[in-house]
Amino acid sequence: MSKLSYAIIGSGAVGGLYGAMLARAGHDVHFLCRSDYEHIRQHGWNIESHWGDFQLTDVNVYRSADDLPPCDVTILALKTVKNHLLSGLLPKPMGQSGVVLVLQNGLGVEASLAEHVGVERVFGGCCFLCSNKVGPGHIRHIDYGRIVFGPYSNSDSRLDLAAKIGDELNAAGIEAQCSDDLNLVRWRKLMWNIPFNGLSVALDASTDKMIGDDNCVDLVRDIITEVHRAATACGATIDTSWIEKTIDHTRSMVPYDSSMRLDFLAGREMELQAILANPIAAAKRAGVSMPKTEMLYQTLRFMQNRSNKEGSKK
């Protein structure tokens, strides 16, 4: 059986890592790169990973989405703050029959895409990994790495394709798991993303600093409990043991700066809508309040607005 071809939209810490591993395994992979296009074209990818370091020198890299060829699977790993660009980025790589695998944080990202490309062509997933892009064409992957994903529409043909994608990811050395409950997958990831991404910015602290302080752990636990309550109201049945498991997993994690904190420190827009505002709104529609999560969101909105104003004065 022939291997699937892949396009990577968002060749950063997530897309760069997974795309390079697929290419190393012999897949036809095409990367959309902008800021480091010339570097990757000349030097390829330098991957430092706890799964094993490697360099990929022969890379199909493009500066414009219009130059991408049609592919079987387009992996969307852009930050959600750039989703307004997708109408110009997806048509060429998706072609007439390709699908998109959305590896973005937050809630509601698949629904908005399905409106544009059709329900049957959308797959969604969450990445449980610690990975950063530390330089042009240079990815440093320090811990975890699992993808849990599934089709937005659970028809037999979509589940079969999900299984094939999962098999190819695993064969390439990427830990991947298929699920027929994307709603549960999203809320399970939010139990980590909301407290640890959000508080890392509000408290200016990496994961080890947060998890090493009892007061912070109490606050983390309160927010995770709110997210868990919201998940239940929104139809995601997650065992209560995951509240403490989420904290314990972070305690054993290699010290890590969250993507949201790195974005804030670099003066970039944070993914506040997808990671915080959308879950808060979904919970409200289900009749559940998230007071501490809302306070965290309001705090981060203030910090983002202040950063934007200060940046505009420079």
Side-chain angles (χ1 to χ4, degrees):
M1 188 178 294
S2 62
K3 292 182 177 180
L4 298 171
S5 59
Y6 293 83
I8 309 296
I9 305 293
S11 300
V14 174
L17 172 66
Y18 294 144
M21 294 187 72
L22 285 164
R24 181 181 61 165
H27 289 274
D28 186 21
V29 183
H30 302 266
F31 297 86
L32 178 64
C33 300
R34 290 184 172 165
S35 61
D36 52 357
Y37 165 81
E38 284 294 345
H39 181 93
I40 294 173
R41 186 179 67 83
Q42 295 181 34
H43 306 287
W45 286 104
N46 177 18
I47 307 295
E48 293 180 61
S49 173
H50 74 106
W51 287 337
D53 300 346
F54 67 95
Q55 290 188 323
L56 189 71
T57 54
D58 187 13
V59 178
N60 299 315
V61 59
Y62 306 81
R63 198 194 301 271
S64 170
D66 290 336
D67 297 327
L68 285 163
C71 294
D72 298 312
V73 182
T74 296
I75 293 179
L76 177 60
L78 276 180
K79 294 291 180 69
T80 54
V81 295
K82 296 183 179 180
N83 278 5
H84 62 284
L85 303 173
L86 294 182
S87 61
L89 296 176
L90 290 178
K92 283 301 292 294
M94 289 188 68
Q96 296 298 312
S97 59
V99 300
V100 59
L101 172 55
V102 187
L103 298 182
Q104 294 182 312
N105 285 321
L107 192 68
V109 290
E110 291 87 7
S112 59
L113 270 177
E115 292 179 3
H116 296 288
V117 303
V119 171
E120 291 289 314
R121 301 183 73 186
V122 177
F123 291 69
C126 292
C127 306
F128 299 83
L129 84 164
C130 302
S131 180
N132 298 123
K133 194 170 189 178
V134 296
H138 186 183
I139 305 293
R140 184 170 293 145
H141 169 216
I142 60 175
D143 210 351
Y144 296 101
R146 179 168 53 103
I147 300 174
V148 183
F149 77 102
Y152 189 58
S153 168
N154 284 329
S155 64
D156 289 343
S157 65
R158 298 300 86 179
L159 289 169
D160 288 345
L161 180 55
K164 179 174 175 57
I165 296 170
D167 288 344
E168 292 195 344
L169 291 169
N170 280 292
I174 302 164
E175 184 185 353
Q177 178 182 329
C178 296
S179 173
D180 61 0
D181 192 344
L182 207 47
N183 184 50
L184 185 148
V185 172
R186 286 284 173 195
W187 280 104
R188 173 67 194 88
K189 179 69 183 293
L190 287 167
M191 288 174 66
W192 192 92
N193 261 345
I194 288 177
F196 286 103
N197 263 292
L199 288 174
S200 71
V201 179
L203 302 178
D204 190 24
S206 55
T207 55
D208 56 318
K209 299 297 190 299
M210 288 187 282
I211 211 71
D213 183 274
D214 290 342
N215 292 303
C216 185
V217 171
D218 288 342
L219 178 56
V220 165
R221 183 178 291 108
D222 289 346
I223 294 175
I224 295 176
T225 301
E226 284 188 357
V227 179
H228 181 269
R229 189 183 307 119
T232 302
C234 292
T237 303
I238 303 171
D239 194 274
T240 55
S241 63
W242 278 102
I243 296 172
E244 290 304 319
K245 283 181 181 178
T246 302
I247 295 171
D248 290 340
H249 287 169
T250 309
R251 189 173 282 117
S252 63
M253 181 188 294
V254 173
Y256 180 64
D257 267 336
S258 75
S259 60
M260 189 175 285
R261 183 168 184 247
L262 291 176
D263 284 341
F264 179 74
L265 292 175
R268 296 187 292 263
E269 200 76 19
M270 294 184 285
E271 296 183 282
L272 301 183
Q273 183 67 39
I275 295 177
L276 287 115
N278 289 354
I280 290 169
K284 281 186 177 179
R285 290 193 296 270
V288 173
S289 63
M290 304 173 72
K292 291 192 175 181
T293 305
E294 286 199 54
M295 184 176 181
L296 177 59
Y297 172 60
Q298 291 160 348
T299 300
L300 295 172
R301 281 288 303 275
F302 169 80
M303 295 177 71
Q304 182 74 79
N305 290 340
R306 183 177 62 181
S307 176
N308 290 345
K309 289 177 183 177
E310 291 173 351
S312 67
K313 294 177 182 177
K314 294 180 180 178

